[in-house]
Amino acid sequence: MTTNKQIVTAIKKSLSKIDFSKTYEKCTNEAQTRLYLIEPIIQVLGYSSFDDMLTEINAGWGAKNDRADIGLLVKDKKNPEIIVECKALGKKLTDKEASQLNGYFINTKNSKIGILTNGLEWRFYSINISTKSQNLFEIPFLILDFSEINDELIEQLSKFHRNFLSTNLNELLEETQEFYFMQGFDNAFATELFEPSDDFIKAIFNRMDGKRMTDTVKDKIKSLINSSSIQTALIKVIEEESKSGNMIITTAEELKIYHTVKTILVHNKKIDADRITYRDQKNSFNILVDDNNKKIVCKITSARNKYSIEINNRDKYEYNGIESIVNIKKQLLESALSYFE
């Protein structure tokens, strides 16, 4: 049986044979993107265009004659387990395109995974196996960006190779369900704090070394769980995390730099403000496009309370207030626009 290591090696070798710069030049519409970019990548993943790839699949209902672009056969020789919706290179992938994919998906028997791609960006969606509906989850469980092909991308891509997926499809689906389940943590946690359950109150009672829980004690503890006590507790949690070295603290100065850079960038009509985000990491504060660490506009680093702005991993500029950011406006715009054009 082919191992994942062998698959990774095979994918890396096959991708190295594709001249992406020349391929991009050919992709001026959806049909060409599909022919010259999307289908070759699918073939890299071990799907034969003759045996494992169906095209223009009937995915309509009633009088509609909708057709999904590509269906991939993994284990079933008749019904595709993967549905691929293709868009033109450079086309922005939005909820509208994801909804279109879902419309095809729900009318395609046996499908488990949906892929939305413009050839460069690949978004992977999974069916909700906990329900009887055939709908995809609304958010992708994985996004791969082929603008930079590295070991991490190839490792993730290998999970969708036909040889690997044919024996690991169920395991992959279980992983996706866990991913989507964990997305509900923030809302569940906030709800628990706003409307504390008896179990939560009892857990706090036990932490207080309580001996006997009465209705009066329970009501008093419940009344103490509010925004004020949560803020007090948050300060203590931050202090403990800071002591253990696991804390990443975003400073007011870093946020000031971020908002200044973002304000400069969004004055350009080609730049969508909603796509400019940041991530604070241990060694740098990164200003990004699409919350993607491969689309770094600039990095903010600090040493001895002095900040620097780094662009393209080579050009470093000292930060001395807003004016110093304005002075590198051209470099910042060039860096950001490279991810929009």
Side-chain angles (χ1 to χ4, degrees), residues 45-63:
L45 294 177
Y47 297 90
S48 164
S49 58
F50 296 102
D51 301 321
D52 313 312
M53 194 185 307
L54 306 179
T55 58
E56 300 300 322
I57 307 162
N58 183 21
W61 65 95

Side-chain angles (χ1 to χ4, degrees), residues 234-249:
L234 178 60
I235 293 172
K236 294 181 180 180
V237 171
I238 291 174
E239 288 175 351
E240 291 302 316
E241 287 185 345
S242 182
K243 289 177 185 177
S244 65
N246 295 324
M247 183 67 182
I248 297 176
I249 300 175

Side-chain angles (χ1 to χ4, degrees), residues 142-160:
L142 177 66
I143 299 177
L144 296 181
D145 186 348
F146 276 76
S147 61
E148 181 184 350
I149 298 176
N150 51 34
D151 290 342
E152 181 184 354
L153 179 141
I154 293 173
E155 184 71 33
Q156 293 287 354
L157 201 59
S158 69
K159 296 178 182 179
F160 302 93

Side-chain angles (χ1 to χ4, degrees), residues 301-319:
T301 57
S302 62
R304 298 178 182 177
N305 293 323
K306 290 186 177 181
Y307 291 87
S308 298
I309 301 174
E310 184 178 303
I311 302 174
N312 296 326
N313 287 321
R314 64 173 187 272
D315 303 321
K316 207 165 189 176
Y317 306 90
E318 188 175 340
Y319 168 73

